[in-house]
Amino acid sequence: MKLSDDLLKKFNEQITLELEASLVYRQLAIEADEQDLTGMAAWLRHQADEEIVHANKFIDHVVDRDNHAEIGAIRAPEVMRGLSPLAIFEASLAHEVKVSNAIRDLYRETEAAGDLDSRPLLNWFVDEQIEEEATVSEIVGRIKLIGHDGAGLLRLDAELGSRSVGTTEAD
């Protein structure tokens, strides 16, 4: 079933937002790297790659339904230089919340339009965003617990750097 023009526009906006999220994570990784927090930088780069996977899932859905996926204008990330590790992950959490809200809005739009074919994809994304927000929120909480303890921060950095590397292609 082909998407309506309105739903196609919404899906294309979500594709653009996912790619924008990838750039936000890349910029946050740069900020961590500049502080020699290479584990955090690697974790953030992995998140950036994951956002591309998410965009690809939306692109595949649009194309599989005989529509034209289109990337809109992507704004440069608005990330200040010299952010603390806490501020880096708070910015990450804020962006995840933004993406979650956009997915919920897209879900509501598809439901209102009676588009049952989008439900499996959007259910997956709702679950994924719950996990993403919880993970980043946990990191924020741990950084707050660490406070100004350099050794604790370096332990967390090492832990985040041990995350396995994936691919930008959907599973």
Side-chain angles (χ1 to χ4, degrees):
M1 177 181 140
K2 201 164 176 137
L3 293 164
S4 70
D5 289 344
D6 288 342
L7 285 181
L8 177 58
K9 181 178 183 241
K10 290 289 191 186
F11 272 96
N12 283 333
E13 287 171 358
Q14 191 65 43
I15 290 165
T16 302
L17 182 60
E18 298 291 342
L19 293 171
E20 183 181 293
S22 177
L23 293 177
V24 168
Y25 272 115
R26 290 268 177 220
Q27 188 65 51
L28 292 171
I30 290 168
E31 297 307 312
D33 241 344
E34 286 185 351
Q35 297 175 51
D36 297 325
L37 295 170
T38 57
M40 290 181 184
W43 190 93
L44 291 159
R45 283 191 303 274
H46 184 81
Q47 284 299 110
D49 291 345
E50 195 171 280
E51 299 300 339
I52 293 171
V53 171
H54 293 174
N56 288 340
K57 284 180 179 274
F58 281 113
I59 290 167
D60 289 346
H61 181 76
V62 168
V63 171
D64 287 349
R65 293 184 62 188
D66 199 27
N67 295 272
H68 180 72
E70 188 172 321
I71 300 168
I74 298 176
R75 298 177 306 188
E78 296 179 13
V79 175
M80 293 177 51
R81 290 192 66 172
L83 293 177
S84 69
L86 177 59
I88 288 170
F89 282 94
E90 286 175 335
S92 171
L93 180 57
H95 207 77
E96 287 295 348
V97 168
K98 178 180 177 179
V99 170
S100 295
N101 288 334
I103 289 169
R104 287 186 200 102
D105 288 344
L106 179 57
Y107 197 110
R108 285 188 279 276
E109 294 275 339
T110 61
E111 289 291 301
D115 179 23
L116 300 178
D117 298 335
S118 294
R119 192 178 286 171
L121 174 73
L122 295 175
N123 283 340
W124 184 88
F125 271 102
V126 168
D127 290 343
E128 175 72 4
Q129 286 306 122
I130 290 169
E131 178 187 322
E132 295 292 336
E133 285 186 42
T135 298
V136 179
S137 183
E138 179 183 307
I139 294 169
V140 167
R142 292 175 72 191
I143 293 172
K144 286 179 179 178
L145 282 173
I146 290 167
H148 297 292
D149 176 20
L153 187 62
L154 291 175
R155 276 193 301 276
L156 179 59
D157 182 61
E159 179 184 328
L160 293 177
S162 69
R163 180 178 183 180
S164 63
V165 178
T167 174
T168 58
E169 295 303 314
D171 296 332

